[in-house]
Amino acid sequence: MGLGRRRRRRWRWGVGIGVGVLVVGAAGVGWGVYAKLDGNITPDDAAAAELARYEGERPTSLVKGARNILLIGSDSRAGDGNARYGRDSGTERSDTTILLHLAAGRRSATAVSLPRDLMVDVPGCLRPDGSRTEPVFAMFNYAFQTGGSACTIRTVEKLTDVRIDHHMVVDFQGFKAMVDAVDGVEVCLSKPIDDRAAKLRLPAGRVKLNGEQALGYVRARKSIGNGSDTDRMDRQQRFLGALVNKVRSNDVLLNPVKLYPVLDAATSSLTTDPGLASLRGLYELVRGVRDIPTERVQFLTVPRESYAYNANRDQLVEPEAEKLFERLRTDAPVEVAEEVPRDSTAKGNLDSDGRSERESDTESRDYSAYDGKRDSGSSPAPTFRGNTAAEDTCG
């Protein structure tokens, strides 16, 4: 019965923003509060100008109403409080990048993680100093490091042929503030964690993480799981699912005292394309998302395996990756499951220290198997290894 209730829940983030706009608009000091929240969001005008320069070579949108948003987690050490996480080299790197596909009619939301070590073609991009780079075959996070969000978007579009309609960039402080604003997020740990590098010490069992702990939890690699980037991305996806459920809970969304800090943290943490750089812009994007069942809010990783010429890097698994990208381009259904058949002959990855990143052949690849239910067309909906926001991390 409890599972049935969970699966009937709806993702109400859109409702939350709508309620927030109404609350601050109706209050006596509403306009000032609204103006503050609205002014929190930083418009990425430089990226918009750079993307306009290359409009002619960008993919076109194929399905009216579908939206693709690139979510970029920056590990910049610039800004308040970020220096504690390492030396500021003067550049940013994309610590986490997720391609979020919102289906037309908002029947589903599919979040695809793109590994930072994936080998890709990075186009020539504009550096912060005004110079331009040459096209290069390099790790995916090189794009953000050298050319920021515009370069990352162009790299993703070149890789996937999926048009990126919007983008959002959040840094360490923004992520922590969002978790703290919802009074923490619960996770379940099979073993205790003691990771000095991540400044993380947690007991086994059900644990509520504050912002600082959550940041260490989603970034740690060496001491949690098998030490692989695969395991880390799985952990990030499950945490985001738990965060979605916490944000949309009634005690947050329907309580103005609790809702304002959430909206303040969410807007303060964002650098977005100009089209989203306002409360109205964000609300227009997500207002239909409230009707998506949590079992249709899906998380997965792009099909990839160890790079043929360097076991410390990744490459796409084909034709599975292209089949996923085609489904996103055409707004066709995608299914996820915790376990799908694997290629038992695939080689394992190594992490940056040269040790085995995947302990068994069952973890050597992230890819799809055509064993899903058939959609309205003649071909089955492919199933990829992943999870949904309906799944309880403590279940």
Side-chain angles (χ1 to χ4, degrees):
M1 185 68 177
L3 179 61
R5 289 195 188 99
R6 287 199 300 272
R7 291 190 177 276
R8 287 194 295 269
R9 292 174 183 168
R10 303 298 179 184
W11 190 15
R12 297 174 184 170
W13 176 244
V15 173
I17 291 181
V19 170
V21 170
L22 292 176
V23 167
V24 299
V29 291
W31 175 248
V33 176
Y34 180 92
K36 180 185 183 302
L37 293 174
D38 200 56
N40 281 346
I41 308 169
T42 303
D44 198 348
D45 295 321
E50 179 71 354
L51 292 173
R53 175 188 177 100
Y54 292 96
E55 180 60 37
E57 67 181 41
R58 299 182 64 195
T60 57
S61 298
L62 300 181
V63 180
K64 183 178 180 180
R67 290 290 182 269
N68 297 297
I69 302 98
L70 198 65
L71 310 176
I72 303 171
S74 167
D75 70 352
S76 170
R77 270 58 173 181
D80 294 341
N82 286 333
R84 64 179 299 185
Y85 301 106
R87 183 176 60 87
D88 184 4
S89 63
T91 62
E92 295 181 272
R93 287 161 293 186
S94 50
D95 195 58
T96 300
T97 304
I98 295 174
L99 174 56
L100 175 64
H101 176 76
L102 301 180
R106 301 300 180 263
R107 65 182 183 275
S108 67
T110 302
V112 181
S113 295
L114 300 172
R116 60 185 182 181
D117 291 343
L118 187 68
M119 299 301 294
V120 298
D121 289 308
V122 179
C125 293
L126 180 67
R127 290 192 181 100
D129 64 6
S131 63
R132 289 192 173 272
T133 65
E134 294 294 327
V136 64
F137 186 64
M139 290 193 303
F140 174 66
N141 67 350
Y142 172 82
F144 192 73
Q145 180 180 346
T146 57
S149 52
C151 190
T152 302
I153 290 168
R154 292 179 58 217
T155 299
V156 171
E157 290 184 340
K158 186 178 184 66
L159 179 72
T160 66
D161 203 29
V162 172
R163 172 79 178 209
I164 303 302
D165 302 293
H166 299 289
H167 71 275
M168 302 179 184
V169 182
V170 61
D171 66 8
F172 292 158
Q173 291 301 313
F175 176 83
K176 293 195 305 180
M178 187 67 187
V179 175
D180 285 334
V182 298
D183 192 29
V185 174
E186 281 194 345
V187 298
C188 275
L189 306 176
S190 59
K191 299 179 181 179
I193 296 174
D194 189 357
D195 189 322
R196 293 183 180 180
K199 299 179 176 63
L200 194 63
R201 191 171 186 175
L202 300 168
R206 186 183 292 266
V207 181
K208 185 167 77 169
L209 305 181
N210 62 28
E212 188 71 38
Q213 292 169 325
L215 180 62
Y217 178 72
V218 299
R219 297 189 70 234
R221 283 202 332 181
K222 307 296 183 184
S223 63
I224 306 178
N226 61 17
S228 71
D229 212 33
T230 297
D231 189 79
R232 189 177 78 130
M233 285 185 289
D234 286 348
R235 197 181 331 122
Q236 290 172 348
Q237 292 165 2
R238 291 186 181 279
F239 183 86
L240 289 175
L243 178 59
V244 164
N245 278 315
K246 186 64 180 289
V247 169
R248 70 182 186 83
S249 63
N250 287 344
D251 63 335
V252 173
L253 295 181
L254 300 181
N255 186 332
V257 175
K258 293 184 177 181
L259 180 59
Y260 174 78
V262 174
L263 292 174
D264 190 34
T267 53
S268 297
S269 70
L270 291 179
T271 297
T272 77
D273 59 279
L276 290 184
S278 68
L279 283 180
R280 181 179 295 275
L282 288 173
Y283 176 60
E284 288 298 319
L285 174 69
V286 301
R287 63 179 176 177
V289 176
R290 64 183 179 269
D291 293 324
I292 300 178
T294 50
E295 64 267 26
R296 299 308 301 166
V297 180
Q298 305 173 129
F299 301 89
L300 64 146
T301 300
V302 66
R304 93 306 186 223
E305 63 186 352
S306 179
Y307 179 46
Y309 300 103
N310 186 339
N312 295 329
R313 306 290 178 253
D314 289 330
Q315 66 185 21
L316 294 180
V317 173
E318 298 293 3
E320 287 81 10
E322 174 52 31
K323 289 172 181 174
L324 171 61
F325 300 150
E326 182 181 11
R327 306 295 287 196
L328 299 180
R329 286 194 296 269
T330 59
D331 200 31
V334 171
E335 301 291 338
V336 298
E338 286 194 16
E339 295 296 334
V340 295
R342 313 286 178 144
D343 180 350
S344 61
T345 64
K347 298 180 179 179
N349 254 355
L350 301 178
D351 66 15
S352 58
D353 292 330
R355 66 179 180 175
S356 176
E357 184 186 28
R358 300 176 177 91
E359 299 299 327
S360 69
D361 287 336
T362 61
E363 295 186 14
S364 63
R365 283 185 169 191
D366 284 322
Y367 68 108
S368 66
Y370 281 78
D371 58 355
K373 297 178 181 178
R374 291 187 176 272
D375 59 21
S376 57
S378 59
S379 62
T383 299
F384 294 82
R385 190 175 70 83
N387 62 281
T388 75
E391 296 174 25
D392 187 348
T393 59
C394 296

